[in-house]
Amino acid sequence: NELTLRFIIDMILCRNKAILVPYDSDKDHSPYLANGHQAHWCVIVGIAFCIPNDSPRIKELLSYCEIDRSSEYHFYLKPNRKFIETEFSTLETLNNDKVFVVARHGKSRHLGFWRLDLLLASAANLQELGPHRDPKEYMIPAEGISESLCSKFVVLQQRMQ
């Protein structure tokens, strides 16, 4: 599969799964373009949208949401496959600066709130091991970094008891 908005919504909101994504990490752990030299992992645990009040389908979109009692402008999308089938096209029309992932970086106690397009660009930018890294300390697949990590991801699921 490809890491697309539809796939992320399906995994996060409908199937209650998290997604592990390799990407280049800036000093504040946000996505960065460093050709793989600052490669780390993050786990996508949520997704957020900024939907304008004047959106023609705002009422239909909000019918799938619960209201956040702390703010009249925050809504939580309830897991629902019907949402993907009927309303996804509305979300696809949002500008890139209106779609965010909620992610956790392994070296931070804080959740990241990053634009999805920037994370995907960073993940697609993984081409080589950074010059400051010792290749002997890493298990690099025979096909190399660009083939094994670039734009790849792992869907995580809860352990069966």
Side-chain angles (χ1 to χ4, degrees):
N1 283 337
E2 189 176 336
L3 194 58
T4 62
L5 178 59
R6 181 181 293 270
F7 183 81
I8 292 170
I9 290 173
D10 185 36
M11 291 296 115
I12 301 290
L13 296 177
C14 296
R15 300 176 193 240
N16 199 29
K17 298 188 185 303
I19 304 170
L20 186 70
V21 180
Y23 75 109
D24 268 328
S25 174
D26 204 351
K27 291 179 179 159
D28 65 355
H29 307 299
S30 63
Y32 182 64
L33 300 177
N35 211 34
H37 295 193
Q38 300 297 325
H40 285 277
W41 293 86
C42 71
V43 178
I44 300 174
V45 296
I47 192 155
F49 309 96
C50 295
I51 301 171
N53 284 336
D54 61 353
S55 173
R57 306 247 339 133
I58 192 74
K59 287 186 180 188
E60 289 83 358
L61 289 170
L62 292 179
S63 71
Y64 292 94
C65 298
E66 295 175 10
I67 298 172
D68 178 348
R69 302 290 178 211
S70 67
S71 169
E72 64 180 288
Y73 300 108
H74 296 162
F75 302 90
Y76 295 104
L77 187 60
K78 298 177 275 192
N80 190 320
R81 184 160 301 285
K82 184 179 177 194
F83 168 81
I84 291 179
E85 295 166 1
T86 60
E87 301 299 334
F88 182 77
S89 60
T90 302
L91 296 178
E92 283 185 312
T93 64
L94 293 175
N95 293 337
N96 286 337
D97 64 344
K98 305 284 189 233
V99 181
F100 299 85
V101 292
V102 181
R104 183 166 301 280
H105 182 284
K107 292 185 174 183
S108 177
R109 292 181 286 152
H110 307 285
L111 287 172
F113 194 75
W114 308 321
R115 283 181 30 192
L116 173 61
D117 64 323
L118 298 180
L119 178 62
L120 295 178
S122 180
N125 190 55
L126 301 176
Q127 299 298 319
E128 60 190 26
L129 194 63
H132 63 284
R133 299 184 193 258
D134 182 356
K136 296 175 192 159
E137 293 184 21
Y138 297 90
M139 292 181 62
I140 309 288
E143 63 269 12
I145 299 289
S146 63
E147 289 296 318
S148 59
L149 287 180
C150 187
S151 296
K152 303 287 197 265
F153 60 92
V154 176
V155 176
L156 305 174
Q157 63 185 33
Q158 291 181 340
R159 187 177 184 170
M160 301 299 288
Q161 302 270 340

